[in-house]
Amino acid sequence: MSYNDLRPKVTEIVANDNETIENRLHKICTLLADRIAYYDWVGFYFRNGDKEELKLGPYVGEPTDHTIIPFGKGICGQVAVSNQNFVVPDVNAQDNYIACSISVKAEIVVPIFVDGNNIGQIDIDSKTADPFTEEDERFLEFVCEAVSKMF
Ligand code: SME
């Protein structure tokens, strides 16, 4: 399935006010992990209240010990302070990286903004080396924009 087919499905999930935000986020994770072959772990992290840390939200994939990530730590923590997409073609080449599973080869993190504030991010791990393109970035920016409308 192409990204163009997935976009309306994301919009539909987000617009369903009958579901809790948690459930809608989980459905987005499931959709992406099911439909995009190299998305092996898909999850959301959100700022934990006023603390300088991220807290794990809904996800699909292997359970992770990293339910709290301080700002600045790992790929996720760096995006919390940089406000920029972070595409990692080879996680082993990163010094500031938090390994969740030894089978992960690549990662992409895209921030979510509400009223200009970075409230969290979508995080995707891949067992495929160097799989992410600009198309993934544009698609995930669309997903994050859609998700921001729930907040
Ligand atoms: N690899 C991430 C940690 C989160 S897991 O991928 C689920 C990082 O370096 O921030």
Side-chain angles (χ1 to χ4, degrees):
M1 180 176 274
S2 76
Y3 298 98
N4 284 341
D5 296 327
L6 287 175
R7 282 182 169 89
K9 294 194 184 303
V10 169
T11 305
E12 196 181 315
I13 292 169
V14 162
N16 184 3
D17 291 335
N18 295 321
E19 296 266 17
T20 63
I21 289 176
E22 292 279 307
N23 282 348
R24 283 180 268 170
L25 290 171
H26 192 261
K27 282 188 171 177
I28 290 171
C29 295
T30 304
L31 177 75
L32 270 52
D34 282 354
R35 303 295 172 87
I36 303 174
Y38 52 91
Y39 286 16
D40 294 302
W41 190 96
V42 180
F44 290 93
Y45 282 92
F46 290 98
R47 184 173 188 164
N48 192 11
D50 288 339
K51 295 185 190 162
E52 303 267 292
E53 64 183 29
L54 295 163
K55 187 176 178 199
L56 181 62
Y59 70 93
V60 299
E62 286 173 39
T64 173
D65 291 339
H66 306 290
T67 54
I68 297 286
I69 298 178
F71 279 17
K73 300 277 184 203
I75 308 304
C76 296
Q78 291 178 77
V79 170
V81 291
S82 74
N83 303 323
Q84 307 282 325
N85 298 348
F86 200 155
V87 182
V88 183
D90 173 9
V91 294
N92 293 318
Q94 293 288 323
D95 291 334
N96 190 357
Y97 168 70
I98 302 167
C100 286
S101 157
I102 51 159
S103 59
V104 172
K105 296 211 168 80
E107 179 163 4
I108 183 169
V109 178
V110 174
I112 301 165
F113 298 99
V114 173
D115 298 330
N117 296 314
N118 182 345
I119 64 149
Q121 52 192 237
I122 191 166
D123 175 22
I124 293 161
D125 286 346
S126 183
K127 295 176 182 172
T128 303
D130 195 5
F132 302 114
T133 66
E134 283 193 18
E135 227 187 340
D136 292 286
E137 284 193 73
R138 298 295 88 76
F139 172 64
L140 294 171
E141 284 165 358
F142 172 87
V143 171
C144 288
E145 172 75 27
V147 163
S148 75
K149 297 200 169 78
M150 296 192 291
F151 292 89

